[in-house]
């Protein structure tokens, strides 16, 4: 047997053993993961994955345009600033100052109407919907037990888990959030057939309300709770109570699995201008124009670090009710973010909202809760549009 034939046989044997292992362990999602990544020339999810998944519509039918400032696009970015923004394949960069758009730019064929995946920015949207459901009395309060909505939580440690624990990522449930492991929760949730069944199968491994541990399954549980509490699907509730009230222009797409469940923890597809409305809503403490969409109390509590420690044993300073939080250059900033550098930054002291969408982000240091590129985008916006500049 020559070396070529031997190599082919070894490769085929390896593939057959892998396929058998996938079947025996019920990890058929791996086939879809490979088809949507490596066979597309990528090693992970992309911002246009809505092409491969079914979706529900978060309907927009009450559009009111965001005003452009009189100084709209008059402050050009320097070649150095553009190079920083373009480094990680940005598709949209938008800045709003004093409720008017002062700068926007798009790349590679994207426009103000292009939809792309926001990934974990959807967690922030779900948190807002929780606040609205509390306003409406559909949920009693942030400390209501999850067991009131999901019967399987009426046993063991799960009885102690509340909505607060889910929205602050402190449930103690053992979701294995390993992004490079094709057999961990994120891959199974993203490419699998029934995300809700998957999510409900995990058990609590730690005491709730102690440790901030960023795990996507917590938000998926919130999606299940919202549907139970409101009697509406997640996309219907988002359409009626958020997307229409904030006058979004374009109907958003929320990716679903084969069972028809929205992937609540991710996969909300929209554009920079409409995403900026989420930032504007919380810049104004839950109010849109003259209407309080989510209570000022809930909106204000959302952007204060939850009283927890992180997995490094340090006091949590970076996460509230599914909003990321930082103090940067003496400014308190909160923001929504997605894994590939999707950001909606809010800088209240400057009355500023900054949106960046794109294909990638810088690698985060283990000792820093924020990615280096996030600081870069903020630097550019602040240098151009801070009050004293």
């Amino acid at each position: 047997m020559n070396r070529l034939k031997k190599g082919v046989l070894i490769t085929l044997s390896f593939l057959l053993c892998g396929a058998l292992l996938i079947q025996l362990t019920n990890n058929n999602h791996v086939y879809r993961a490979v088809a949507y990544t490596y066979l597309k020339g990528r090693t992970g999810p992309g911002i246009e994955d809505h092409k491969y998944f079914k979706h529900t519509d978060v309907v927009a039918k009450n559009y009111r345009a965001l005003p452009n400032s009189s100084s709209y696009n008059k402050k050009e970015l320097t070649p150095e600033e553009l190079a920083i923004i373009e480094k990680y394949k940005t598709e949209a960069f938008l800045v709003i100052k004093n409720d008017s758009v002062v700068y926007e730019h798009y790349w590679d064929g994207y426009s103000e109407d292009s939809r792309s995946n926001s990934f974990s920015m959807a967690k922030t949207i779900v948190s807002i919907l929780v606040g609205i459901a509390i306003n409406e009395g559909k949920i009693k309060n942030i400390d209501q037990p999850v067991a009131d909505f999901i019967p399987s939580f009426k046993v063991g440690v799960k009885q102690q888990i509340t909505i607060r624990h889910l929205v602050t990522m402190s449930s103690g449930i053992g979701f294995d959030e390993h992004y490079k492991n094709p057999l961990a929760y994120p891959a199974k949730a993203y490419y699998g057939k029934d995300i809700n069944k998957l999510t409900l199968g995990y058990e609590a491994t730690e005491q709730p309300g102690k440790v901030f541990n960023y795990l996507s399954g917590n938000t998926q549980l919130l999606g299940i709770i919202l549907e139970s509490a409101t009697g509406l699907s997640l996309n219907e509730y988002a359409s009626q109570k958020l997307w229409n009230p904030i006058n979004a222009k374009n109907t958003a797409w929320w990716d679903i699995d084969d069972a028809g469940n929205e992937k609540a923890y991710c996969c909300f597809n929209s554009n920079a201008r409409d995403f900026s409305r989420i930032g504007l809503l919380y810049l104004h403490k839950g109010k849109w124009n003259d209407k309080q969409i989510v209570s000022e109390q809930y909106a204000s509590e959302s952007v204060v670090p939850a009283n927890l420690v992180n997995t490094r044993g340090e006091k949590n300073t970076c996460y509230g009710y599914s909003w990321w939080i930082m103090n940067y250059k003496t400014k308190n900033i909160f923001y929504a973010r997605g894994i590939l550098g999707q950001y909606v930054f809010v800088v209240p002291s400057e009355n500023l909202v900054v949106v960046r969408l794109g294909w990638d982000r810088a690698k985060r240091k283990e000792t820093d809760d924020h990615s280096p590129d996030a600081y870069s985008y903020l630097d550019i916006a602040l240098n151009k549009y801070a009050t004293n500049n």
Side-chain angles (χ1 to χ4, degrees):
M1 185 183 294
N2 60 39
R3 288 184 178 179
L4 178 59
K5 288 182 178 179
K6 186 176 181 180
V8 170
L9 285 174
I10 291 172
T11 301
L12 288 174
S13 298
F14 177 79
L15 291 173
L16 286 171
C17 288
L20 181 61
L21 182 61
I22 288 170
Q23 294 291 334
L24 290 174
T25 57
N26 196 28
N27 284 303
N28 295 318
H29 70 279
V30 173
Y31 295 124
R32 186 178 287 176
V34 171
Y36 295 169
T37 56
Y38 290 99
L39 297 186
K40 302 293 182 182
R42 301 197 312 269
T43 59
I47 63 174
E48 294 185 344
D49 282 357
H50 57 77
K51 295 177 180 178
Y52 313 128
F53 298 112
K54 295 178 181 179
H55 64 262
T56 56
D57 290 339
V58 181
V59 178
K61 55 182 180 181
N62 191 30
Y63 172 56
R64 290 178 61 182
L66 295 175
N68 289 342
S69 168
S70 59
S71 60
Y72 173 76
N73 273 3
K74 289 184 178 178
K75 289 187 177 181
E76 294 186 3
L77 300 187
T78 66
E80 293 77 16
E81 290 169 332
L82 281 170
I84 291 170
I85 291 175
E86 293 170 355
K87 182 176 181 180
Y88 295 103
K89 293 189 67 176
T90 292
E91 52 131 314
F93 190 72
L94 176 89
V95 182
I96 294 176
K97 174 78 173 181
N98 297 329
D99 299 333
S100 297
V101 179
V102 291
Y103 182 85
E104 70 180 323
H105 192 82
Y106 302 92
W107 288 260
D108 298 327
Y110 287 90
S111 73
E112 67 175 70
D113 297 314
S114 300
R115 297 176 184 87
S116 64
N117 196 346
S118 66
F119 294 101
S120 288
M121 288 204 325
K123 293 180 172 69
T124 303
I125 291 171
V126 170
S127 171
I128 297 170
L129 295 177
V130 168
I132 293 170
I134 291 172
N135 291 355
E136 294 190 318
K138 306 291 187 181
I139 296 173
K140 293 178 182 177
N141 54 60
I142 194 74
D143 293 308
Q144 187 169 1
V146 173
D148 287 356
F149 305 96
I150 304 177
S152 62
F153 274 67
K154 292 181 178 180
V155 296
V157 179
K158 282 187 171 181
Q159 296 178 83
Q160 302 173 33
I161 299 174
T162 67
I163 290 172
R164 181 189 299 274
H165 299 144
L166 298 180
V167 81
T168 59
M169 299 290 176
S170 61
S171 69
I173 299 174
F175 299 111
D176 44 343
E177 192 92 353
H178 301 295
Y179 296 108
K180 298 297 184 182
N181 183 351
L183 303 183
Y185 180 86
K188 290 180 178 179
Y190 196 73
Y191 298 108
K193 293 183 177 181
D194 192 335
I195 187 173
N196 286 353
K197 181 179 178 181
L198 168 73
T199 304
L200 292 171
Y202 283 78
E203 297 298 330
T205 56
E206 297 178 3
Q207 195 71 18
K210 302 294 183 183
V211 178
F212 162 65
N213 191 7
Y214 185 84
L215 301 171
S216 295
N218 290 315
T219 305
Q220 192 62 35
L221 288 170
L222 287 171
I224 296 171
I225 288 168
L226 281 165
E227 293 194 342
S228 174
T230 65
L232 296 173
S233 64
L234 201 56
N235 71 296
E236 290 172 331
Y237 195 63
S239 299
Q240 294 178 21
K241 305 300 180 179
L242 178 63
W243 213 235
N244 276 314
I246 62 173
N247 307 125
K249 179 182 181 183
N250 292 291
T251 291
W253 297 334
W254 211 325
D255 291 348
I256 59 174
D257 62 18
D258 293 354
N261 305 308
E262 280 94 359
K263 299 174 186 178
Y265 75 99
C266 85
C267 313
F268 190 101
N269 298 269
S270 189
N271 55 76
R273 280 195 171 231
D274 281 343
F275 279 133
S276 74
R277 297 168 188 266
I278 300 299
L280 286 168
L281 178 66
Y282 269 53
L283 175 64
H284 296 292
K285 299 181 179 180
K287 181 178 285 189
W288 188 263
N289 294 326
D290 295 324
K291 184 177 180 181
Q292 198 76 39
I293 306 300
V294 61
S295 75
E296 181 175 342
Q297 178 181 349
Y298 184 88
S300 297
E301 290 176 355
S302 296
V303 296
V304 174
N307 186 22
L308 304 164
V309 298
N310 61 28
T311 54
R312 302 188 296 269
E314 305 160 342
K315 183 177 177 60
N316 167 52
T317 60
C318 72
Y319 207 74
Y321 293 175
S322 300
W323 285 89
W324 292 93
I325 300 162
M326 67 163 74
N327 184 282
Y328 183 57
K329 294 186 173 178
T330 73
K331 301 182 188 301
N332 292 319
I333 298 169
F334 57 89
Y335 67 106
R337 87 179 184 203
I339 194 171
L340 297 183
Q342 291 72 36
Y343 300 110
V344 176
F345 299 102
V346 182
V347 189
S349 63
E350 296 293 341
N351 209 18
L352 200 68
V353 173
V354 183
V355 181
R356 185 272 180 185
L357 306 176
W359 285 89
D360 204 358
R361 75 179 187 193
K363 186 176 181 180
R364 184 177 60 82
K365 296 179 181 179
E366 290 186 4
T367 55
D368 192 344
D369 296 304
H370 314 287
S371 298
D373 56 302
Y375 300 123
S376 298
Y377 303 136
L378 284 167
D379 281 339
I380 291 169
L382 290 170
N383 288 341
K384 292 289 185 185
Y385 298 106
T387 303
N388 58 353
N389 290 339

Short mmCIF file of all heavy atoms in Angstrom, two decimals, residues 194-215:
data_model
loop_
_atom_site.label_atom_id
_atom_site.label_comp_id
_atom_site.label_asym_id
_atom_site.label_seq_id
_atom_site.Cartn_x
_atom_site.Cartn_y
_atom_site.Cartn_z
N ASP A 194 -33.17 22.56 19.33
CA ASP A 194 -34.15 22.98 20.33
C ASP A 194 -33.43 23.62 21.51
O ASP A 194 -33.07 22.94 22.49
CB ASP A 194 -34.99 21.79 20.79
CG ASP A 194 -36.21 22.20 21.60
OD1 ASP A 194 -36.19 23.30 22.19
OD2 ASP A 194 -37.19 21.43 21.66
N ILE A 195 -33.23 24.92 21.44
CA ILE A 195 -32.43 25.61 22.44
C ILE A 195 -33.10 25.62 23.81
O ILE A 195 -32.42 25.54 24.85
CB ILE A 195 -32.10 27.05 21.98
CG1 ILE A 195 -31.11 27.70 22.95
CG2 ILE A 195 -33.35 27.88 21.81
CD1 ILE A 195 -30.60 29.05 22.47
N ASN A 196 -34.42 25.70 23.85
CA ASN A 196 -35.09 25.73 25.15
C ASN A 196 -34.96 24.39 25.88
O ASN A 196 -34.72 24.34 27.08
CB ASN A 196 -36.56 26.12 24.99
CG ASN A 196 -36.74 27.59 24.68
OD1 ASN A 196 -35.77 28.36 24.71
ND2 ASN A 196 -37.95 27.99 24.38
N LYS A 197 -35.13 23.30 25.15
CA LYS A 197 -34.95 21.97 25.75
C LYS A 197 -33.53 21.81 26.25
O LYS A 197 -33.30 21.31 27.36
CB LYS A 197 -35.28 20.89 24.72
CG LYS A 197 -35.14 19.47 25.25
CD LYS A 197 -35.49 18.43 24.18
CE LYS A 197 -35.30 17.01 24.71
NZ LYS A 197 -35.62 16.00 23.66
N LEU A 198 -32.57 22.25 25.45
CA LEU A 198 -31.16 22.21 25.85
C LEU A 198 -30.94 22.99 27.14
O LEU A 198 -30.34 22.49 28.11
CB LEU A 198 -30.29 22.80 24.74
CG LEU A 198 -28.82 23.09 25.10
CD1 LEU A 198 -28.04 21.79 25.21
CD2 LEU A 198 -28.19 24.01 24.05
N THR A 199 -31.44 24.21 27.19
CA THR A 199 -31.20 25.11 28.31
C THR A 199 -31.81 24.59 29.61
O THR A 199 -31.20 24.69 30.68
CB THR A 199 -31.75 26.51 27.98
OG1 THR A 199 -31.14 26.97 26.76
CG2 THR A 199 -31.45 27.50 29.08
N LEU A 200 -33.00 24.04 29.51
CA LEU A 200 -33.69 23.54 30.70
C LEU A 200 -33.05 22.28 31.26
O LEU A 200 -33.36 21.87 32.37
CB LEU A 200 -35.16 23.28 30.38
CG LEU A 200 -36.00 24.53 30.08
CD1 LEU A 200 -37.38 24.16 29.56
CD2 LEU A 200 -36.11 25.42 31.32
N GLY A 201 -32.14 21.68 30.50
CA GLY A 201 -31.48 20.46 30.97
C GLY A 201 -30.30 20.69 31.88
O GLY A 201 -29.75 19.73 32.43
N TYR A 202 -29.89 21.94 32.09
CA TYR A 202 -28.72 22.22 32.93
C TYR A 202 -29.14 22.40 34.39
O TYR A 202 -30.22 22.93 34.67
CB TYR A 202 -28.01 23.48 32.43
CG TYR A 202 -27.17 23.24 31.20
CD1 TYR A 202 -27.75 23.16 29.94
CD2 TYR A 202 -25.79 23.09 31.28
CE1 TYR A 202 -27.00 22.94 28.80
CE2 TYR A 202 -25.02 22.88 30.15
CZ TYR A 202 -25.63 22.80 28.91
OH TYR A 202 -24.88 22.57 27.79
N GLU A 203 -28.27 21.99 35.28
CA GLU A 203 -28.55 22.06 36.72
C GLU A 203 -27.73 23.15 37.39
O GLU A 203 -26.69 23.57 36.89
CB GLU A 203 -28.25 20.71 37.38
CG GLU A 203 -29.12 19.56 36.87
CD GLU A 203 -30.60 19.76 37.16
OE1 GLU A 203 -30.93 20.42 38.17
OE2 GLU A 203 -31.42 19.29 36.35
N ALA A 204 -28.21 23.60 38.53
CA ALA A 204 -27.47 24.57 39.34
C ALA A 204 -26.28 23.86 39.99
O ALA A 204 -26.42 22.78 40.56
CB ALA A 204 -28.37 25.17 40.41
N THR A 205 -25.11 24.47 39.86
CA THR A 205 -23.89 23.89 40.43
C THR A 205 -23.31 24.76 41.54
O THR A 205 -22.40 24.34 42.24
CB THR A 205 -22.84 23.69 39.33
OG1 THR A 205 -22.59 24.94 38.68
CG2 THR A 205 -23.31 22.67 38.31
N GLU A 206 -23.83 25.98 41.69
CA GLU A 206 -23.34 26.90 42.72
C GLU A 206 -24.53 27.63 43.33
O GLU A 206 -25.63 27.65 42.77
CB GLU A 206 -22.36 27.92 42.13
CG GLU A 206 -21.09 27.30 41.57
CD GLU A 206 -20.18 28.35 40.97
OE1 GLU A 206 -20.52 29.56 41.05
OE2 GLU A 206 -19.13 27.98 40.42
N GLN A 207 -24.31 28.25 44.46
CA GLN A 207 -25.34 29.03 45.13
C GLN A 207 -25.63 30.29 44.30
O GLN A 207 -24.70 30.99 43.89
CB GLN A 207 -24.89 29.42 46.53
CG GLN A 207 -25.99 29.93 47.45
CD GLN A 207 -26.95 28.84 47.89
OE1 GLN A 207 -26.63 27.67 47.81
NE2 GLN A 207 -28.14 29.22 48.34
N PRO A 208 -26.89 30.59 44.03
CA PRO A 208 -27.19 31.79 43.23
C PRO A 208 -26.95 33.08 44.00
O PRO A 208 -26.94 33.11 45.23
CB PRO A 208 -28.68 31.62 42.91
CG PRO A 208 -29.22 30.78 44.02
CD PRO A 208 -28.11 29.84 44.38
N GLY A 209 -26.74 34.16 43.23
CA GLY A 209 -26.63 35.49 43.81
C GLY A 209 -25.29 35.81 44.43
O GLY A 209 -25.19 36.79 45.18
N LYS A 210 -24.27 35.04 44.10
CA LYS A 210 -22.95 35.26 44.70
C LYS A 210 -21.92 35.73 43.68
O LYS A 210 -21.21 36.70 43.90
CB LYS A 210 -22.47 33.97 45.37
CG LYS A 210 -23.39 33.42 46.44
CD LYS A 210 -23.50 34.32 47.64
CE LYS A 210 -24.37 33.70 48.72
NZ LYS A 210 -24.55 34.60 49.87
N VAL A 211 -21.83 35.00 42.57
CA VAL A 211 -20.74 35.20 41.62
C VAL A 211 -21.27 35.61 40.25
O VAL A 211 -22.18 34.96 39.71
CB VAL A 211 -19.89 33.93 41.48
CG1 VAL A 211 -18.77 34.12 40.44
CG2 VAL A 211 -19.29 33.52 42.82
N PHE A 212 -20.71 36.69 39.70
CA PHE A 212 -21.00 37.07 38.33
C PHE A 212 -20.21 36.16 37.40
O PHE A 212 -18.99 36.14 37.40
CB PHE A 212 -20.61 38.53 38.08
CG PHE A 212 -20.47 38.88 36.62
CD1 PHE A 212 -21.56 38.84 35.78
CD2 PHE A 212 -19.23 39.26 36.10
CE1 PHE A 212 -21.44 39.15 34.43
CE2 PHE A 212 -19.11 39.59 34.75
CZ PHE A 212 -20.21 39.53 33.92
N ASN A 213 -20.94 35.38 36.62
CA ASN A 213 -20.31 34.46 35.67
C ASN A 213 -21.12 34.53 34.39
O ASN A 213 -22.26 34.05 34.34
CB ASN A 213 -20.30 33.04 36.24
CG ASN A 213 -19.43 32.10 35.43
OD1 ASN A 213 -18.73 32.52 34.51
ND2 ASN A 213 -19.47 30.83 35.75
N TYR A 214 -20.54 35.13 33.37
CA TYR A 214 -21.26 35.44 32.13
C TYR A 214 -21.60 34.16 31.38
O TYR A 214 -20.72 33.52 30.79
CB TYR A 214 -20.40 36.35 31.28
CG TYR A 214 -21.07 36.85 30.02
CD1 TYR A 214 -21.90 37.97 30.05
CD2 TYR A 214 -20.86 36.22 28.81
CE1 TYR A 214 -22.50 38.44 28.90
CE2 TYR A 214 -21.46 36.68 27.65
CZ TYR A 214 -22.28 37.79 27.70
OH TYR A 214 -22.88 38.25 26.56
N LEU A 215 -22.87 33.77 31.39
CA LEU A 215 -23.32 32.52 30.79
C LEU A 215 -24.61 32.77 30.00
O LEU A 215 -25.61 33.21 30.55
CB LEU A 215 -23.56 31.46 31.87
CG LEU A 215 -22.35 31.11 32.75
CD1 LEU A 215 -22.77 30.23 33.91
CD2 LEU A 215 -21.27 30.41 31.92
#
